[in-house]
Every structure is written in C-alpha cells, then in structure tokens.
Amino acid sequence: MKIGVITFHAALNYGSALQAYALQEYLSARGHDVSIIDFRSLAQRRLYPAPVCFNSVYNTKQSLRRLFFGWPEIRFMSRKRSAFRKFMSGYMNLTPVCFRSEAGLKRHDWSSYDMIVSGSDQIWNPSAIDFSFAYLLDFLENEAGGPERSGSLSRPLRVAYAPSAGPHAMDLDAGRLAKYVSRYDAVSVREQETAALLKAGGAGSLSCPVLPDPVLLHDAGFYREMLPASGTPPHNDGYRIPHRYILYYAPGRRNSQAEMLADAVSSGMMGDGASSILPDRDRMPVVRITDGSSAPGGSIVHRTPKQRPATEICIPAGPAEFISLLDGASCTVGTSFHLMVFSMLFGKDFWCPDAASDSRKSRLLESLGLSPSSSFFRFSSHEIRPRLLSALSALRLSADCFWSGLGV
C-alpha cells in the first residue's frame, strides 16, 4: 500500500520531527511504501525563519537586529537549522515535490496513493500559528467541495492517526473541525479532549479511539539506533557535554516555574538525597535546548562563555542530538509533552510544573496509571517501570488493532 503522511514534519521542534519519523517507520515496518508529504506553508516558514530572513515585518526587524548586534545568535540558529535539515534528509522519506502552499497540494494528482494520513501532533489546533486546513485533507477535494480531482473511480482513503487539537481543545470551534473530519474514512485522536470536541461539533457518528502519539509506538532501543556507536552526540559543533547533567526543554516563552525547578534540582534541593543548597562548583549543570529556530534569550546567547552561568550550557541541537542528550541525561526538566514522553521511554526522572493543567500530559499519565498532580515523575523507579512498560505495550496494541482494521 502506498501511504502519504501529512504532519508538522518540517517544524523546528523536536517532538514534531520525531513523531513524523516514528509514524513513517511504524507504517514502513508493516510492509508499506510510506512517504511524508513535504508541505511547508508560508505561515510555518515565517514561524521558523532563517537567521537572516525578510518574509515578514517581524522577521525583517529581527534579522536587522542580528546583523548589527547578534552574530552569536546567527551562528547558533544556523547550526540548529543545519542539524534539523540533516535529520530530515537522513531519516525522512519526503515526497519529491516540496509543497509551499495549499494551492500546490490541490493541484497535485494524488490518485497513485492508496491512503493519506493526517497525524500526529497538534495539526488540528486552529490556534497554532502554522495551522492549515491541509492537515484536514481539504486538498483532496475540488474548489466546490466535491470529490478528488484525479478523475479516477478510486480515491485515497482518508485516515487520521492521533492528531491533537491542543491542550485547550474544548475552547475551539467544534463545528468547523467536525465538518472536515466527517469526511474521513477512519479517525483516531491523541487525547480524549479532541474526541469530545469532535463529538460536540457533530462528528459523533464516527468511531474516534484515543491512540498513542507515534513516538510511543517504539521503545528506547529504536531511537538509540540513530546514535553513533560512541554514544556521543552525532555532531555537537565542539560543545563540551558534561558527564552528568540535567536536560532542560520548555517550548514557547520562558517558563519561570520550570526554570526554578531546574535550578532547584541542580542545586541539590530536590530529588534523591536532597539537603542544603550546594555551592556552584558542586551543582549539576543544566543543558538547555530551545524550540523554534531562535536561540535562547539574551541572558545566555549574548554573553561570552565566561559570563554565562557556570551551571548552564545551551546546545543548538537537532532531533538526533535531542535523543543523544536525553539518553545521557541524569534527569529532565521542562514543560514539553514530548520531553515527558521520551523521558518515559528512556526511564529518566522528569520534573514538570504543569502536568495537571495540560490535558495532553495529564491524560497520558492517567492512562499509564500515574497521577498528574505531582511535579516529579520517577520514570526510573524499579517499582514504577514494569507497570509503565506494561501500559505502554497495551497502548501499542491498541494502535496495532486500529491499523489492522484498515488492512494496514
């Protein structure tokens, strides 16, 4: 079966890139010809700009600022973009055509595909800056909303695998989303809130199982295969990685609660053997990675190495480096959903300030028999780990059943 997958594969975001790769490899392992539809909208290109870019007023202003005052930031952004490009070219089976607009998708002949899959990630979140109705497969219809343009009696099956409407799904326009989803042949979602949103919008006649994010379809060994035998990051541009460190990742605006957690763990105030505050020389370093194409805030980027906090290092990592850094970390701290997911898979203790308020995290934790009310998740625990692995196996079985029911 020839399958096309459309998702946020080109976003400069670790979870987005790795979930796209994970779904590609999962379906390929089931014996199918899988490609990722290389769709990169103008909104997404503006959201993840090059270091010097003039595709919007905001990016123009930032580019001029960098050219005059921010060459360290330009170097950081360039290294990070290079790492993401290397991952896409090395690991993703992209379509020969790169679609830079919804119109290009609509003009293309999709009749050679047996199935087009939406998912996963927050592709059904209309409040996302790079949201497009292409992720609801509107490009498989003509301008009047009729059947596919191929002229063939057959058409690709439309399938949704675990897309998400985001952490605040019930605040969205349910009817508009449900109108598009009702045209699918099979639908699954990543969270119960997205299923409830579709039902409220009138798509209740569709079976809508809640299935795991694609990265959970594989174990840690699968991801370690992308690392070199030496265990060092694939290419760290000369950055020295400490022997012991905390991996910190909080997408979006700087999160003071998460940063305070990271500082508390680093200083020895929290975790096993916590006691008094450690002096700087004894603190565990924090390795920080950032989302998007931008470098971290000025307090880090625009200081020389001698001026930066001794306990913090910022790395322009790509998806492969993310896996390497997580694999080597003593523990993780942050607000990222996918940081939590990979911490589960790799058995890393995870500190998070917002698990209870983020439906994506809380629902997954509850499905695994864990309480989201805590800020500390001991994924390394010998007591919790067997139960966690058993629950993950059950989630994978539910995904297998979904695809088997479609003949995949």
Side-chain angles (χ1 to χ4, degrees), residues 167-215:
H168 308 291
M170 295 309 292
D171 297 333
L172 304 175
D173 184 347
R176 195 177 188 191
L177 282 179
K179 179 185 73 173
Y180 284 90
V181 174
S182 64
R183 300 169 185 168
Y184 277 71
D185 296 288
V187 176
S188 64
V189 294
R190 199 175 69 181
E191 296 101 20
Q192 186 59 46
E193 283 73 11
T194 302
L197 177 72
L198 297 177
K199 184 177 180 180
S205 60
L206 277 174
S207 174
C208 196
V210 176
L211 297 179
D213 185 284
V215 301

